[in-house]
Structures are given as C-alpha cells and as structure tokens.
Amino acid sequence: MAGRAQPVSAWPGTSAAITLAVLILGTLTAVALRAETGAGLGRAEWAAIRFTLIQAALSGLISVTIAIPVARALARRRFRGRRILIALLGVPFILPVIIAVLGLLEVFGRAGWISDALGLLGFEPIRIYGLHGVVLAHVFLNLPLATRLILQAWQEVPAERFRLAAQLGCDGRAMFWLIEWPMLRRILPGAFAVVFAICLTSFAVALTLGGGPRATTIELAIYQAFRFDFDLGRAALLSGVQLILTILAAALALWLATGTGFGKGLDRAVRRWDGANPVSRTADAAWIIAAALFLLLPLAAIVVSGLPNVLSLPSTVWSAALTSLLVAALSTCLLLLLALPMAFAIARGGRGIVELAGLLGLAASPLVIGTGLFIMIRPIADPFALALPVTALVNAITALPFALRVLVPTARDVVERYGKLGVSLNMAGLPFLRFVLLPRMRPQIGFAVGLAMALSMGDLGVITLFADPDIATLPLQIYRLMGAYRLDDAASASLLLLVLSIGVFWVLDRGGRRHAEA
Amino acid sequence: MLKLEHVEIRKGDFHLKSHFDLQQGHIYAVLGPSGGGKSTLLEAIAGFDPVSAGQIAWHDRSITTLPPGDRPIAMLFQDGNLFPHLTAAQNVGLGLHPNLRLTKQDQSEIVKALSEVGLDGLADRKPAALSGGQQARVALARLTVQRRDLILLDEPFAALGPALKAEMLALVADLARARHATVLMVTHEPEDARHIADQVILVAEGQAHPPVKTQQIFDNPPPQLRDYLG
C-alpha cells in the first residue's frame, strides 16, 4: 500500500481524464494534419484574428468598467428586490445566446424600441450589425458575470475595515483609495481576463450580429471555411490559430482570476457608513436602474413579442425543442460520466493528468473539436448522420470545466471530512460512493447537471457545422427563423427556449438541494 | 496482542519511533504534549498512513500493509464520527455492513446496541436532531456492533463536558472489559488516564515509549511527563 488509504479509487477518474485528453488532442491532431496542406494566413484570416482580439478586448473593457459602479452600488445599498436582481445576474450565464441576440435586436435593432423612439424625434435608426453589435451582445452577456466577480470581491472586504475607516472619518473618496482601490486592482485584471477569454471563442454572437469581411471572428471564419467552401485546410489552419489564442487567454484568465462568481452569500449587503449624501445615493440608484433595464428589457421584449404566438408555433419548432431536450439529456449524462470520476480523483489529491485534462476543456474551442470530429468520422461514417450525438459530446466537453469547478471543492471536503471514517468502516469503493459521496454532493451535482442541461439546450455552435436541413436543435431553428425574417415566430420559439432552459436548470438545481442535509 | 516492532513513521520533518507490545484486554492511555505524535501513532496503527520502517503485528500476523478496514480495529476520531445525512440506525448499521445490506437480525442488533447506550426510540433521528452527547452514544453503539478486538480513540469526546466525557469513557471501558478488547485512547487529561487506563504510553520528542502502569508512571513521572504535567 503506497501513500494514504483512500475511500475512492483513482482509476475511473484517470480513465475519464485520459479519454477526454485523447478526444481533445486527437481532434486537434486530426485538424493539424490537415492544416499542413493549406497555404499560410491570408488577408482575410489576419482580419479575422484582428477582429477577434479587438472585439474581445473591447467587450472585456466595457463590461468591467460598467461593472465597477454597478457592483459598488449593489454592495452598499439595500433595497427591495436586491436579492432577486443579484440572482438574475446569474441568468445570462445559462441564457441561450440566440435569445440574447434576438432580445437585443428587438430593443436596439433597426426596427427596435430605441430606433423607433429615435425615429419619432427625427433621428436615424441605430445600426446594430458589425463591431458594435457584437460588443453590445458580449457586454449584455458578460456584464452580469463581471458584476458578480467584482461584487464578490467587494463582499469579501471585512466589514471591520469599513467600520475603522468610518471611525477615522474617511469620506467616500478617502474610503475608495484606502479600501476599495486596492481590492479592485487585485480583482479587475482577472475579471477582464475571464470576459476576454469567453468573448474570444464567441461564435453565435458573431454568426448572428457579425459577418462580412469586417466583422468575422476566427470561430466564424472556421465555420465559413468549413460550411461554405468546405476548405478543411483553411478551417484547420484557423483552428490552430484559435487554439493558441484560447490557450493563452485561458492561461491568462486562470493566472489572474481569483473568484468564480458562483460564490454564495452575494445577497448580503455590506454595512457602510459612507455614501449617505443625496448625490451618491442618486448615482447608485441610477446605476442599478440602468443596469437592470439593460439586462431586463431585451428579455422583456422576447416575452412581449413572443407570447402571443407560442401556442401556434409550427411543428418544426416543437420537434426541434424535443431534439434539444434529448441532446441536452445525452450531453448531461456524458458530462456526469466524465466529471464525477474526475472530481473524485482530484478530491483524493490526485493532481497531474486529471486536473490538466479538466483545464484542457477550458482551452478547447467547440468548433475546433467539431471540425476534428468531422474529419475523424468522415472515413468511417456519415458525419451529418451523427450531428446530434457529436453536439451532445462537444457540449459535455465545454461544460466540463464549469462542472468541475462546482463539484471539486465539495468532493474534496467530503473526502477530507469522512474519508478516514469511511475507510475505517471498510466502506472504500462503492459503499462510500453510494452512501457518502453522492448523497453529500447532491446539491452540487444538481447544480452542475442543471448548468450542463441549460448550456447544452441553448448552444448554437457545433450543430451549425453538422446539421442538414432536416435536423435542428431549438437554437438552430430560431436562427433559421431569423434568417427567414420570421421574427415573430423566432421570438415565440425563443420564449419557449427561455422557459425550457431556465426551467430545466431551476428544476434540477432545486431537486439537488431539496431535503439536502447540512 | 498488538506488537509494534521498530516501527518508524515519517511525515516530512516529523518522525516517530515506537517499539513495544500491547496486551489484549488492557486499556492504554496515550499521553503527551500536543504535536508530539499521539494522533500520528494511532493513525499509523489504524493504517491511514504507511509506516516507513518496521512491522505492526496482531497475534503474530503482520497487518503492516493491510488496508484500514481489514484490520481488527475500530476507531473514533476527534470529530466527524457520524454521517450527517444518515439516521442513527444507519450510522450504526455501517459497523455491521458497509453496504448497509442489513438482515432482520442485523436490525434487531442495531436496536439493541442503541438501547444499550440509552438511545431507545431515537433510531430514525439524524445526527443534527441529536445532542452532542447523544451523537457520541451513536458512535459508541457502532463500536459495540463492530466487534473489533482493538479500539482506538483519538479524543472523540473532547467537545463534551467533563461529566459527560467521563461517562462516555466509562461506557467504553465497560464495553472493552466485557469483550476483552484492547483500547488505545489519546488524551490530554491525566485525570482520564487515571480513571480508566491500566497503563500509559508517553509520546514525546519523536518517541512513543513502552507502556508503564498508570499508578507507577504518575507516582514517579519521567522527565518528559513531568514537563508536560507542569
């Protein structure tokens, strides 16, 4: 017996990690082998790289900049609905991107509410397509995450420090330089890096709001090379570039990031003694209202324009919804098969390959894996026939890093607290799994499963590579309706998708926490 | 009986040596300054940490490499002795079958064990619904159904008040005497040792000393014990 006695064995986690690594690296190799035949990077490719970096940097910068005053206002004010608002900040993470895009179009688009209002005043309607549309959507999707990350750091400042500063007679400005600025300087680079990394791999936003030579991201260029030109060499080359960028960005984010934004206790208001004057009260209120409107109006727009037609939606939409549910369920099963053993192996203290494989999922771009799988499957079977299982698999891989972040800390706790007792009662292996680990981790498993289901339900990525006209997930169906300018149907289908995604997450998360003992 | 033959335990810079025998049916107190290695000694005997040299033998059969659950040992830890999501009966049942596949006979044995420690009618309660003393009793009930020859106590009752702690230790002593089991209990309190221990093992300065009769060691304490007692 080498090392400490352990209540769970490592080999299932190690095998899961190896499977994952082989899958990710194998698809990469498949892509890389193709890339050699292609020419170097042309002008269009450089333009895509430049656009990708610029939009990601702008999205990160704007999200974080706006998040600072919003988080500050949320941290120091108590008001009715604060708890709900903070809970809502978690929604965009699982919100299907296509819904966000459609909602933003209804508010900010050419025929949207704001353009209509501008038109009444005699102004030109705003143009949402292109760089500013892409950045707008990314800010919409990531401002809440940035706010949560910064809010978490704010809440972690010990209340005693504010008390001491107040006792010393610090005013708002002095308090900022004394307490808040050092905290912000620590958290902001990480928050920026996380948003930057997320936007770097953004596909659905660029697909719907970008396009054209001046607003194409690398992911979108991969899709176009693959789908329109069937130029596997170019797709592979772009995949290589994308991979290098995502690895760099993921490394940067991991290096700089300190929190996850998943933390509990965000609904606690820090007691403060500054900012009682009317000016700062009004400013805080304005920030909170503006942020809430920015986040809620697009969703409200979907509800308003989608509600009338939900029941008369074409049958293709309903069957797409069913397809999406099945894909999401399959994807979640695959995720659990990978994530649970890996979390247990990491909890044992088994570092190395398992944790590394978990991080690999963070750097893997869905479209790159999809392209690789396509290349690998083609000699054996018809890749288009396997569109749905491939989508489920790729969704599982993308959700894995998040699932591990949720599962690992608790698994570690349980093994630490009850491992010895379990081993001394001869429960090592299945009994420990069944009677201790799984029951104790039920809330986290429920949360992870809900997350995986919702992410998969709303994903508009790999499926666009593989799908033929007869098959569609719900997000793809919405995209097609938008493409056909059937915006009312698209809104109704989006409402359906919204209800399904959020509902599925809510039910699973609740189910996990129900009757869970402390 | 348990034989520690030139056993050496290493954890980073820390190391502990021990070489002695324990007699069946006796109660041993493990006494010494904190950080001296009392818990480490118990965990090595229980099999949680590998020993770096030497042999641990039970009735002349080496158990040095056996996994913890396969050793003739039942152990109670400083805390976390019960699973909070399982009922008192299930927590006791784990001592019979780690997969909780319990026969009718097992069930009645659990009920009997719970009633012996004074927990009649509380079988279906979860730990959160029991007081600290009742939780300790559930753990004791599990010790009784485990029927192991060697009982290791790593201060499981430290959080209880003095009277309750004395009562629990007395229960353990009764159980051990009835079963002719050997007890090895870590303690900070010389009083605990005086009350129930036949012999005392002094652990200090990287050495677990061979057991000495309780009366004798307190009448004529060696220098390390004198430093500890103050």
Side-chain angles (χ1 to χ4, degrees):
Chain A
M1 187 182 65
R4 293 185 66 88
Q6 293 278 7
V8 279
S9 32
W11 65 264
T14 316
S15 338
I18 291 173
T19 312
L20 184 73
V22 166
L23 222 107
I24 294 177
L25 299 176
T27 48
L28 282 180
T29 316
V31 170
L33 289 177
R34 280 286 185 156
E36 285 175 346
T37 57
L41 295 168
R43 263 181 61 191
E45 285 77 36
W46 279 113
I49 296 171
R50 206 163 40 235
F51 179 77
T52 304
L53 291 173
I54 289 173
Q55 60 82 18
L58 279 178
S59 307
L61 215 58
I62 295 174
S63 299
V64 168
T65 310
I66 302 178
I68 297 170
V70 176
R72 180 181 157 106
L74 283 173
R76 67 180 183 182
R77 300 290 167 205
R78 296 160 200 221
F79 53 92
R80 198 185 285 260
R82 180 175 179 277
R83 188 187 286 263
I84 296 173
L85 188 60
I86 288 173
L88 277 176
L89 289 179
V91 169
F93 188 75
I94 54 169
L95 184 73
V97 174
I98 190 84
I99 296 182
V101 168
L102 195 65
L104 287 169
L105 280 175
E106 299 230 9
V107 176
F108 296 96
R110 204 181 162 73
W113 296 353
I114 292 187
S115 287
D116 285 352
L118 286 176
L120 290 177
L121 299 172
F123 289 102
E124 285 283 300
I126 31 181
R127 299 165 56 92
I128 193 175
Y129 292 96
L131 177 64
H132 40 284
V134 170
V135 172
L136 178 75
H138 282 160
V139 171
F140 175 83
L141 289 166
N142 293 298
L143 171 63
L145 174 65
T147 306
R148 283 178 74 96
L149 286 172
I150 297 172
L151 182 59
Q152 192 174 351
W154 229 296
Q155 310 268 42
E156 280 165 7
V157 175
E160 294 79 10
R161 253 180 246 174
F162 287 111
R163 199 174 57 193
L164 179 61
Q167 206 273 320
L168 294 170
C170 294
D171 60 359
R173 180 180 298 199
M175 187 108 54
F176 180 80
W177 289 111
L178 189 66
I179 299 175
E180 300 178 310
W181 175 241
M183 176 278 286
L184 287 173
R185 220 176 39 186
R186 193 172 48 79
I187 182 81
L188 291 186
F192 169 81
V194 168
V195 177
F196 180 80
I198 292 175
C199 295
L200 211 53
T201 55
S202 164
F203 169 70
V205 167
L207 177 71
T208 45
L209 293 174
R214 292 176 55 199
T216 297
T217 60
I218 302 173
E219 296 268 302
L220 187 56
I222 297 173
Y223 164 80
Q224 286 165 350
F226 189 95
R227 190 85 188 169
F228 300 158
D229 312 328
F230 205 68
D231 185 345
L232 286 178
R234 195 150 60 85
L237 189 67
L238 286 162
S239 298
V241 173
Q242 174 74 332
L243 181 80
I244 294 168
L245 285 182
T246 44
I247 287 182
L248 288 179
L252 186 75
L254 279 174
W255 180 51
L256 292 172
T258 48
T260 57
F262 288 145
K264 298 287 176 210
L266 287 184
D267 46 7
R268 185 170 56 91
V270 181
R271 183 137 156 66
R272 298 266 299 254
W273 289 267
D274 64 320
N277 56 330
V279 178
S280 68
R281 291 173 70 113
T282 318
D284 280 354
W287 278 112
I288 291 173
I289 292 170
L293 283 180
F294 178 55
L295 296 176
L296 290 176
L297 275 184
L299 296 182
I302 296 277
V303 175
V304 169
S305 59
L307 204 51
N309 294 321
V310 167
L311 292 178
S312 54
L313 274 171
S315 65
T316 48
V317 171
W318 291 106
S319 69
L322 187 65
T323 309
S324 271
L325 276 172
L326 290 175
V327 168
L330 177 62
S331 169
T332 305
C333 293
L334 292 172
L335 173 83
L336 283 182
L337 280 178
L338 290 171
L340 283 177
M342 284 174 73
F344 300 156
I346 297 173
R348 288 171 44 113
R351 310 225 149 232
I353 174 153
V354 182
E355 273 197 309
L356 209 64
L359 293 182
L360 213 56
L362 213 58
S365 132
L367 280 211
V368 175
I369 302 178
T371 313
L373 283 175
F374 187 97
I375 296 171
M376 284 161 77
I377 292 171
R378 204 155 65 119
I380 322 164
D382 174 16
F384 293 106
L386 293 172
L388 297 181
V390 166
T391 304
L393 178 63
V394 175
N395 287 346
I397 295 174
T398 1
L400 186 75
F402 302 109
L404 285 179
R405 281 208 153 187
V406 174
L407 295 174
V408 165
T410 319
R412 217 173 246 155
D413 271 7
V414 174
V415 168
E416 194 156 298
R417 262 186 83 81
Y418 301 108
K420 277 184 192 163
L421 178 60
V423 169
S424 87
L425 289 170
N426 221 354
M427 293 172 76
L430 277 183
F432 191 77
L433 197 67
R434 190 172 144 211
F435 293 113
V436 185
L437 259 179
L438 293 179
R440 304 258 357 125
M441 291 180 64
R442 215 180 53 180
Q444 286 72 31
I445 294 174
F447 182 71
V449 165
L451 212 59
M453 273 297 264
L455 287 176
S456 177
M457 286 281 308
D459 178 58
L460 178 61
V462 163
I463 185 72
T464 56
L465 285 183
F466 284 76
D468 57 31
D470 301 329
I471 213 161
T473 57
L474 192 46
L476 182 60
Q477 190 61 37
I478 295 171
Y479 176 60
R480 284 179 182 163
L481 287 170
M482 282 168 72
Y485 294 102
R486 289 165 59 187
L487 290 184
D488 284 344
D489 279 345
S492 299
S494 293
L495 184 59
L496 177 65
L497 178 58
L498 182 68
V499 171
L500 282 176
S501 310
I502 307 286
V504 154
F505 173 77
W506 189 80
V507 166
L508 290 167
D509 183 38
R510 260 306 143 95
R513 280 185 289 159
R514 234 178 101 222
H515 301 309
E517 321 291 329
Chain B
M1 73 181 173
L2 187 79
K3 255 183 160 44
L4 301 179
E5 291 169 22
H6 303 287
V7 167
E8 258 188 74
I9 308 153
R10 283 183 186 284
K11 269 186 181 175
D13 284 344
F14 177 85
H15 69 102
L16 183 73
K17 290 184 179 182
S18 51
H19 178 71
F20 52 78
D21 298 345
L22 300 181
Q23 301 304 317
Q24 179 130 24
H26 286 218
I27 297 178
Y28 297 89
V30 181
L31 208 60
S34 26
K38 301 187 295 290
S39 297
T40 308
L41 176 69
L42 259 67
E43 298 208 340
I45 295 174
F48 290 112
D49 279 313
V51 301
S52 43
Q55 286 275 330
I56 303 174
W58 176 253
H59 288 303
D60 297 325
R61 190 171 64 96
S62 169
I63 59 167
T64 320
T65 56
L66 278 187
D70 291 347
R71 301 187 181 204
I73 289 170
M75 183 163 179
L76 292 185
F77 305 90
Q78 279 178 15
D79 49 26
N81 283 305
L82 300 181
F83 294 111
H85 57 284
L86 300 181
T87 63
Q90 284 176 310
N91 268 295
V92 175
L94 286 172
L96 288 169
H97 287 293
N99 55 23
L100 282 182
R101 251 175 245 135
L102 302 171
T103 61
K104 272 259 156 24
Q105 198 186 341
D106 293 334
Q107 304 279 9
S108 61
E109 190 175 345
I110 293 167
V111 172
K112 190 164 149 264
L114 281 170
S115 123
E116 273 170 10
V117 293
L119 292 180
D120 280 302
L122 300 181
D124 293 330
R125 295 263 187 104
K126 290 189 178 170
L130 297 170
S131 70
Q134 288 170 329
Q135 292 178 10
R137 284 171 205 270
V138 176
L140 280 182
R142 191 178 60 217
L143 274 189
T144 60
V145 303
Q146 275 186 285
R147 301 181 186 286
R148 301 289 172 106
D149 291 322
L150 186 52
I151 295 171
L152 305 184
L153 305 180
D154 191 0
E155 298 192 270
F157 311 124
L160 303 178
L164 207 47
K165 183 166 80 170
E167 192 188 335
M168 295 298 151
L169 287 177
L171 274 170
V172 174
D174 290 349
L175 165 72
R177 300 239 149 82
R179 294 274 173 76
H180 206 55
T182 307
V183 177
L184 207 56
M185 54 175 252
V186 169
T187 180
H188 274 103
E189 310 278 339
E191 278 313 301
D192 292 345
R194 278 208 185 94
H195 274 305
I196 69 164
D198 303 309
Q199 304 194 45
V200 171
I201 296 166
L202 180 63
V203 178
E205 294 166 7
Q207 183 83 40
H209 297 271
V212 178
K213 287 233 163 59
T214 308
Q215 191 63 41
Q216 197 179 326
I217 200 167
F218 283 117
D219 286 349
N220 187 13
Q224 296 102 326
L225 184 61
R226 222 173 304 150
D227 289 347
Y228 173 66
L229 294 174

